Amino acid sequence: MKGFFLGAASAALLLAGCADMRASGGAPAANSQSKMAGVALTDANRDKLQQVGADVLFWSQEQRDRNFPNMEALFPGRVVSASRKPSPLPAGLPLPVPAAEIDAFIAANNVAGLIVVQDGSVRLERYARGLTREGRWTSFSVAKSFTSTLVGAAIRDGFIKSVDEPVTKYIPDLAGSGYDGVTIAQLLTMTSGVKWNEDYTDPQSDVARMFSIPVPPGMDPTVAYMRTLPRETAPGAKWVYKTGETNLIGVLVGNAVKKPLATYLSETVWRRFGMERDAFWMVDGSGREVAGCCLSVSLRDYARMGQLALQGGAGIVQPGWFADATKPHAPTERPDFGYGYQWWTYPESRFGGQGIFGQSITVDPASRTVIAMVSAWPKATDSALSRARLAFLEKLFVAAKGR
C-alpha cells in the first residue's frame, strides 16, 4: 500500500525540491515576517542542491542520522517561528511498559524520538541517535497533515469560504484542465479523478516528472505540470494517492492568504497553540514551501500537533474541522484504513500522519492519547518495520488505557 507505508513518495518531491527556478521565472511570495533559512537559494548552488536531493533515498545510515535532524544544512527553506508562550506538556505518570522493551524497540527500529502524551501530560519521552528535546527531525509526508490544517485555519480566518468551493477559484491557472469542477474537499481527500502515477521507482511516473517540464513565466511549477494531466474518473469517484495534489493545496492556501505557508503556519498553529521550537520548512526552486513534505519539527511539537487535532483546534481552525478532517472520506487499498483531509484513518477510530523512514503521529481519541515517533529506518519503506511499529503502538495504547 503506497500511501500508508511510504508516506507516499514525499521523497520524490524532496528530490525535485530544488527544481530550476530559472525555467519558471517564479519567486517566493514577499512577506516581511517570512525568514529564510538553510542553504541560500542561488543559481550557484542549485545544481549541487538538486544532486544532494536526488541522493536522499540512498543515503547511508550515517548520513540519515546526520542529516534528518539537520536538513537546513543541505536545503533552502523558511523558519516557522515558535510561540513566545509554549503550551505546557507536564510530566505524567510513567507508562507501565518495561524500559528494556522500549530500549529494544528503539534500537531495532532506528527510532530517534518517541513520546506518549495522554490527557496533555507526557507519560513517555525518549531520545536516541543524537536527537535531543531541543532538536528537530524531518517529517516527510507527515507534513501533509500540517498543510491540510492550514486549509481549516484559512476558512476560520475568512480567506477561504468552504471546502466545497472549486479549486480553480484559488488556482486560476488550473482552469480548462482536469481540475475543472474539482472541489477543495476532493483535493484534500485525493479523489479529484485526475489521472496520476505515484510510483517513484518509475522514471516516467508523474511524481518523478512533475518538475521536469518547461514552466510558463510566473506560473507555479507544480501547477504547470498538474494542469497537463487528463481526467481519469469523475471527481469523488476514486481515491488515488497524489503527492502532487498536496503541493496544490499549498499553492491554494498561499494564494488565498497571500503569504508564505511557513509564515501562516507560525501565525496560526505555532503561535496560537504554543509550539515551543522553531520549525524549518524546505522550499522548492520557485521559493515556495514543499507542502507535501519536508517540514522539520521537534518531537514535542509533533505531539502537540496530534494534541491539537485531538482537542479540536478551537480558535485555530473552523469549528468541527478536525472531526471532519480525521474521519474516513475515501476507502484506500487496505479495507481497514481510510483517508480523510490528508490524515490517515485507522481501526478503532484512530487517525494519524505517516512519513517514509518511520515518521508518524498517531492519535487514539478513546484513551485521549497521542504518540509521536521519528526514525531513520534503513529503507524508505519496510513492511516488517511497519508491522513492528503498529504492534508497539498497540502495546503503548493498551498501557495508556490501563493507566
Side-chain angles (χ1 to χ4, degrees):
M1 178 174 164
K2 282 189 195 111
F4 178 67
F5 291 115
L6 285 179
S10 47
L13 287 191
L14 178 60
L15 312 189
C18 297
D20 195 341
M21 182 169 72
R22 290 167 295 182
S24 69
N31 189 288
S32 60
Q33 300 178 57
S34 177
K35 296 186 291 184
M36 292 298 291
V39 174
L41 189 62
T42 65
D43 288 342
N45 67 17
R46 242 176 258 279
D47 291 339
K48 178 183 177 184
L49 288 169
Q50 195 164 6
Q51 183 178 5
V52 171
D55 287 340
V56 168
L57 286 174
F58 310 104
W59 277 344
S60 67
Q61 191 61 52
E62 186 275 332
Q63 287 174 308
R64 284 188 288 273
D65 286 338
R66 183 178 68 245
N67 295 332
F68 282 5
N70 295 293
M71 299 300 269
E72 62 269 29
L74 298 173
F75 299 100
R78 286 195 175 86
V79 172
V80 181
S81 298
S83 172
R84 293 187 179 92
K85 296 181 179 179
S87 60
L89 282 178
L93 186 69
L95 208 62
V97 179
E101 192 170 344
I102 297 169
D103 291 342
F105 173 80
I106 287 174
N109 292 269
N110 290 9
V111 172
L114 170 65
I115 188 169
V116 179
V117 177
Q118 185 177 33
D119 291 324
S121 296
V122 178
R123 301 198 62 189
L124 173 65
E125 185 173 14
R126 295 289 299 275
Y127 296 93
R129 315 190 80 82
L131 183 64
T132 66
R133 176 173 166 176
E134 291 72 31
R136 55 192 174 209
W137 198 269
T138 190
S139 62
F140 295 105
S141 276
V142 174
K144 289 177 168 64
S145 302
F146 288 79
T147 295
S148 77
T149 299
L150 292 182
V151 177
I155 294 173
R156 185 256 183 196
D157 293 342
F159 295 110
I160 296 172
K161 185 177 179 181
S162 82
V163 296
D164 297 321
E165 291 186 291
V167 170
T168 51
K169 176 180 176 179
Y170 298 93
I171 312 179
D173 286 331
L174 288 177
S177 74
Y179 287 94
D180 274 338
V182 173
T183 66
I184 296 172
Q186 289 161 345
L187 203 63
L188 287 165
T189 57
M190 297 189 183
T191 58
S192 67
V194 172
K195 189 174 182 179
W196 177 265
N197 178 356
E198 184 76 12
D199 183 0
Y200 62 70
T201 65
D202 177 4
Q204 297 305 311
S205 68
D206 295 300
V207 76
R209 296 182 58 245
M210 65 182 295
F211 288 103
S212 66
I213 68 170
V215 181
M219 186 177 293
D220 179 86
T222 300
V223 175
Y225 185 80
M226 304 298 278
R227 71 201 293 264
T228 69
L229 300 175
R231 176 70 60 76
E232 180 182 28
T233 64
K238 181 181 180 181
W239 177 86
V240 176
Y241 199 98
K242 307 182 185 81
T243 297
E245 292 195 339
T246 312
N247 272 19
L248 284 183
I249 295 169
V251 173
L252 187 150
V253 172
N255 288 351
V257 304
K258 296 180 172 52
K259 61 185 67 175
L261 296 186
T263 301
Y264 193 53
L265 184 62
S266 178
E267 292 173 353
T268 54
V269 175
W270 250 242
R271 293 178 183 172
R272 291 178 189 171
F273 200 65
M275 302 302 199
E276 67 179 286
R277 299 288 171 189
D278 287 351
F280 168 77
W281 206 337
M282 284 171 49
V283 298
D284 63 20
S286 71
R288 190 187 291 272
E289 292 86 346
V290 183
C293 78
C294 313
L295 179 64
S296 293
V297 179
S298 73
L299 182 67
R300 283 188 158 221
D301 287 341
Y302 279 124
R304 284 185 175 92
M305 184 62 186
Q307 193 70 25
L308 171 66
L310 178 62
Q311 293 177 195
I316 295 174
V317 295
Q318 70 163 342
W321 173 263
F322 281 113
D324 204 24
T326 61
K327 72 180 183 183
H329 287 265
T332 67
E333 298 157 343
R334 187 169 171 177
D336 47 350
F337 290 80
Y339 203 69
Y341 292 168
Q342 309 283 297
W343 292 87
W344 292 96
T345 64
Y346 309 136
E348 300 189 44
S349 300
R350 294 171 186 159
F351 62 88
Q354 294 282 342
I356 56 173
F357 293 105
Q359 325 315 322
S360 65
I361 300 172
T362 312
V363 181
D364 179 44
S367 64
R368 305 168 306 284
T369 303
V370 175
I371 302 176
M373 191 182 309
V374 295
S375 312
W377 286 359
K379 295 186 293 184
T381 176
D382 187 299
S383 58
L385 289 176
S386 294
R387 288 192 297 269
R389 177 175 59 187
L390 287 171
F392 192 70
L393 286 172
E394 182 61 29
K395 184 180 294 290
L396 296 177
F397 284 129
V398 169
K401 287 177 181 177
R403 302 197 66 85

